[in-house]
Amino acid sequence: MGVAEPQSILSLGATLGEGPVWVARDAALWFVDIKTHRIHRYDPVQEVARGWTAPCQVGWIVPTADGKFAVGLQSGVHRFDPASSRFDLLHAPEAHLPGNRQNDACVAPDGALWFGTMDDAEVDASGHFYRVDGDGWAESGLPAISITNGPAFSPDGRILYHTDTLGKRIWRTDVAPDGSVGNTMLFARIEDDAGYPDGPTVDAEGCLWTGLFGGWAVRRYDPAGKLMREVRFPVANVTKIAFGGEDLRTAYATTARKGLDMTALTKQPLAGDLFAFDPGVAGLPGQIATI
């Protein structure tokens, strides 16, 4: 099955584009630029983009059941209302770790929000995964690492995929109905010359896609961790994909200029843009966080 070449659909020059999520009620893609504190919305039908400025670094955005959004700011999980541009603090699990920030998130099939944190200096193993639901937040119980990415869930919600970016490893962990984690095993290891595994996403066939920061590509792995496909990009830092469009058969990819010097940027004029391509498979319907 062929895969179309990725095309830039929105020129942004994002420093660290991340966290794309398709919001069906809005028929739009939402994503962030962490380092410039920006939240973006892109309407692919009208080809119109809009942006909001967050109070500090913003790692992710997901829709909530009240018609608004939850966002991961460096200061904690906030409720975000695009109509008023207001941010209201909900949870601050790492107020004692000012050097940490939030980095990636997803909504489980049961509506619980899962997110990860990281050392903003990318040195200390101070990043954790958390779960948030109507009862509040709790640490996941997964080991602390420097840069967390993900998590992402299997279609049935029983497997949690989570990434140790600096360790170049993607792990899979069993998850019980109450959200507690169980057995963990290595899912995939990225080779030394292939970049760093970034945000993971699961498609309708249960296969996992991961962006490769510094790897010029996204990859698709089957549920057993076997590499199935690699889609090459004209930019080095591909951070994460999201499936969108009415049929969820368009893959949108965020990218980043972070870490590229002027020589690299001259060779990669599209670095930091939003891309789209035909992945040859549908994605899963987006979940709404019930927090």
Side-chain angles (χ1 to χ4, degrees), residues 110 112 114 131 133 175-181:
D110 65 359
W114 292 69
R131 180 180 186 270
D133 59 18
V175 181
D178 64 358
S180 60
V181 299

Side-chain angles (χ1 to χ4, degrees), residues 106-114 131 152-160 175 177 284-290:
C106 76
V107 180
D110 65 359
L113 166 68
W114 292 69
R131 180 180 186 270
F153 281 87
S154 61
D156 62 8
R158 297 173 61 184
I159 297 171
L160 175 74
V175 181
L284 293 167
Q287 303 292 336
I288 305 296
T290 56

Side-chain angles (χ1 to χ4, degrees), residues 12-262:
L12 279 176
T15 303
L16 187 52
E18 263 288 7
V21 58
W22 179 259
V23 181
R25 70 185 183 208
D26 197 32
L29 185 82
W30 292 75
F31 60 101
V32 303
D33 183 351
I34 296 174
K35 293 299 180 180
T36 63
H37 308 178
R38 294 287 286 174
I39 295 171
H40 295 279
R41 174 190 182 275
Y42 178 69
D43 179 337
V45 175
Q46 301 295 325
E47 298 183 348
V48 173
R50 183 183 174 189
W52 293 259
T53 299
C56 52
Q57 293 188 97
V58 52
W60 51 263
I61 181 168
V62 298
T64 53
D66 60 0
K68 298 181 177 63
F69 293 84
V71 298
L73 300 185
Q74 187 163 7
S75 53
V77 178
H78 287 65
R79 181 89 64 199
F80 169 58
D81 182 359
S84 64
S85 301
R86 177 170 173 160
F87 296 83
D88 294 307
L89 179 65
L90 297 175
H91 304 287
E94 292 190 345
H96 62 297
L97 295 173
N100 270 17
R101 66 169 175 83
Q102 298 193 34
N103 194 48
D104 200 3
C106 76
V107 180
D110 65 359
L113 166 68
W114 292 69
F115 68 91
T117 63
M118 61 171 281
D119 174 23
D120 197 33
E122 304 181 8
V123 176
D124 294 336
S126 58
H128 294 80
F129 287 101
Y130 297 87
R131 180 180 186 270
V132 183
D133 59 18
D135 297 324
W137 64 270
E139 229 183 285
S140 67
L142 297 172
I145 54 178
S146 179
I147 301 179
T148 66
N149 258 295
F153 281 87
S154 61
D156 62 8
R158 297 173 61 184
I159 297 171
L160 175 74
Y161 297 99
H162 48 102
T163 299
D164 174 0
T165 293
L166 289 187
K168 295 192 171 187
R169 288 170 170 80
I170 303 171
W171 300 88
R172 55 170 286 167
T173 295
D174 296 334
V175 181
D178 64 358
S180 60
V181 299
N183 183 56
T184 294
M185 61 182 295
L186 182 65
F187 176 73
R189 183 187 183 280
I190 307 303
E191 317 89 271
D192 289 341
D193 61 350
Y196 294 85
D198 209 309
T201 306
V202 176
D203 63 31
E205 297 179 357
C207 296
L208 182 137
W209 296 72
T210 183
L212 292 176
F213 198 96
W216 301 80
V218 297
R219 284 182 174 180
R220 184 186 190 221
Y221 291 85
D222 73 11
K226 179 182 178 181
L227 178 61
M228 300 179 68
R229 185 178 302 160
E230 183 172 272
V231 181
R232 304 295 294 177
F233 277 69
V235 297
N237 299 331
V238 187
T239 54
K240 189 173 183 177
I241 74 163
F243 294 91
E246 185 176 354
D247 58 1
L248 298 176
R249 298 189 72 90
T250 299
Y252 296 97
T254 47
T255 66
R257 295 165 64 95
K258 182 178 181 289
L260 302 179
D261 60 21
M262 290 307 299

